[in-house]
Amino acid sequence: MAGGVRSRCPLLLLFLVGVAARAAASGVVTDGLLPNGNFELGPANSALNGTRVMDPNSIPNWEISGFVEYIGSGQKQDDMILPVPEGARAVRLGNDATIRQRLSVVRKASYSITFCAARTCAQAERLNVSVAPESGVLPIQTVYTSTGWDSYSYAFKARHSAVWLTVHNTGVEEDPACGPLIDSVAIKTLGPPRLTKGNMLRNGDFEEGPFIFPDTAWGVLVPPMDEDVVSPLPGWMVMSGTKVVKYVDAAHHAVPHGARAVELVAGREAALVQEARTVPGRRYRLSFSVGDAANGCEASMAVEAYAARATARVAYESRGTGGSKRAELEFAAVADRTRVVFQSDNHHMRTDGTLCGPVVDDVALVGVRGHTARRLL
Ligand SMILES: *[C@@H]1O[C@H](CO)[C@@H](O)[C@H](O)[C@H]1NC(C)=O
Ligand SMILES: *[C@@H]1O[C@H](CO)[C@@H](O)[C@H](O)[C@H]1NC(C)=O
């Protein structure tokens, strides 16, 4: 894994050469890993007491406060090995600990942040990610991936051209060191969720979304969010108390259409939602793909879709090797706004303990002519 950064950067540079050249000229942050976003540059030994970082400015590009530890790969706590997903270093945010980095951004542009986090000893860990004046609390008490590391996303709209990205562990544990490990922090500019011809939904194919690290095979979790905040998955909202959906890429998963899709990994505890303008009484057809991500998730799955008063339950027999089918739901609108909702009807788990579920992709909503709103499937 230590070669990850070296192999990744040239690749990113190839893809982003135009963006990078423009951004470099203006000093604006570029898509990809943040400066020292993987914490491979660490404090001098003189700034450490054991693993605890004593000097707030000793991790290059970052500022810290509170109980922050600098963790090397393979380091143990009691009997537990603290693994590091990328490179050899990570930080751990203990009680009331904060890390922050100053970012030069384009004012009014929207950005998503992706970072890897692993729960350690506390049970209900939460991180408050903020770019003032907005903030979001990411619940990380559920471990979704068997490795223990999950990638989380967060999004914000820049109010200023220089902002602080802050990650704060709000925890108050008996052991002040108990808190999540953080590694690999990246940023991506989000395109606005435009409407495309022939679809009343925005970003129906999920091609626009948070940064996915090329060398992580476990996708990116999109956390629940309030309706009025910026979504890392433009156009879409995740509604849940504490659960998430998983954003997956074709490089590591089977994706029904295009390069990205959403895996519903939390059963009925999380819903993927988008609201469209509709005319009451008029009929519409929602069509979408249901499949599996070819990630070994073998199960009898079903996706439930809701719109206005109509529902569809789309059964999908997953062998965990990829595949998909199309499904439809016709409905009559009852209001001038209609929410389309997707959820998995059950929880599923791979044999290694990774939470998984059906994949939804390529969602389209169109008006139809016809006599009755019928329920298909
Ligand atoms: C280092 O940590 C130990 C254990 O918490 C503490 O007793 C000691 O005073 C600390 N040393 C310094 C220089 O802060
Ligand atoms: C999260 O952090 C922001 C910025 O520091 C703060 O305004 C907000 O109150 C915090 N939220 C929680 C729940 O701690």
Side-chain angles (χ1 to χ4, degrees):
M1 290 296 274
V5 192
R6 244 164 268 129
S7 61
R8 181 165 69 213
C9 289
L11 211 89
L12 278 174
L13 283 177
L14 274 179
F15 287 127
L16 301 169
V17 75
V19 182
R22 254 178 291 134
S26 59
V28 167
V29 74
T30 51
D31 287 3
L33 201 66
L34 289 181
N36 198 24
N38 52 4
F39 304 101
E40 294 301 295
L41 305 175
N45 280 337
S46 59
L48 291 169
N49 181 0
T51 53
R52 185 170 177 184
V53 184
M54 305 307 290
D55 175 351
N57 297 303
S58 58
I59 303 177
N61 302 102
W62 294 94
E63 234 183 75
I64 66 149
S65 67
F67 199 107
V68 175
E69 287 176 283
Y70 192 65
I71 303 290
S73 129
Q75 190 159 314
K76 281 191 175 181
Q77 179 187 27
D78 302 329
D79 281 337
M80 180 178 67
I81 289 188
L82 301 172
V84 170
E86 199 286 320
R89 306 286 170 178
V91 293
R92 180 152 67 153
L93 304 187
N95 280 349
D96 206 23
T98 297
I99 52 168
R100 63 178 200 162
Q101 182 168 143
R102 187 96 166 145
L103 307 176
S104 291
V105 288
V106 175
R107 209 175 140 251
K108 291 188 176 165
S110 293
Y111 294 91
S112 63
I113 298 289
T114 301
F115 63 89
C116 297
R119 208 186 77 185
T120 61
C121 31
Q123 283 309 305
E125 296 181 359
R126 292 181 310 161
L127 287 173
N128 183 355
V129 181
S130 61
V131 174
E134 289 155 49
S135 67
V137 175
L138 308 187
I140 60 171
Q141 65 260 51
T142 305
V143 176
Y144 288 87
T145 309
S146 61
T147 58
W149 283 93
D150 286 308
S151 300
Y152 284 85
S153 58
Y154 169 76
F156 67 95
K157 185 170 178 177
R159 305 274 182 101
H160 306 281
S161 56
V163 296
W164 284 102
L165 166 68
T166 303
V167 184
H168 177 205
N169 174 19
T170 56
V172 187
E173 295 295 324
E174 216 170 292
D175 178 352
C178 264
L181 285 158
I182 307 284
D183 198 3
S184 296
V185 189
I187 194 165
K188 182 164 170 276
T189 314
L190 291 175
R194 288 202 180 85
L195 282 171
T196 51
K197 204 164 170 251
N199 194 351
M200 296 163 61
L201 298 176
R202 289 156 294 155
N203 197 21
D205 206 11
F206 305 106
E207 296 302 299
E208 192 68 58
F211 186 80
I212 299 181
F213 293 105
D215 52 3
T216 60
W218 54 73
V220 175
L221 304 178
V222 182
M225 62 203 74
D226 292 334
E227 291 177 32
D228 52 347
V229 304
V230 183
S231 170
L233 207 51
W236 297 92
M237 262 185 311
V238 176
M239 305 195 76
S240 177
T242 57
K243 305 299 187 205
V244 303
V245 303
K246 186 179 265 193
Y247 190 53
V248 296
D249 62 339
H252 302 98
H253 303 85
V255 165
H257 188 259
R260 307 284 171 104
V262 170
E263 184 181 8
L264 303 172
V265 293
R268 286 201 177 94
E269 291 185 82
L272 181 66
V273 179
Q274 183 167 153
E275 201 169 75
R277 285 176 185 283
T278 50
V279 177
R282 202 169 276 181
R283 280 171 294 278
Y284 298 90
R285 182 188 300 120
L286 177 69
S287 59
F288 50 98
S289 294
V290 170
D292 72 283
N295 55 358
C297 195
E298 203 179 331
S300 295
M301 301 175 173
V303 167
E304 293 170 336
Y306 306 87
R309 298 197 176 108
T311 68
R313 183 179 182 280
V314 183
Y316 178 82
E317 208 55 45
S318 168
R319 301 172 65 191
T321 54
S324 69
K325 66 180 195 185
R326 290 298 285 175
E328 285 183 2
L329 172 69
E330 271 193 30
F331 65 93
V334 293
D336 57 6
R337 288 181 169 277
T338 300
R339 283 190 167 182
V340 302
V341 179
F342 295 98
Q343 56 187 198
S344 165
D345 85 333
N346 214 337
H347 289 96
H348 301 286
M349 195 187 271
R350 271 162 35 182
T351 49
D352 70 355
T354 297
L355 298 179
C356 59
V359 163
V360 171
D361 198 9
D362 203 9
V363 186
L365 180 67
V366 293
V368 291
R369 295 162 190 277
H371 299 292
T372 49
R374 12 186 217 120
R375 197 181 130 175
L376 295 180
L377 301 161

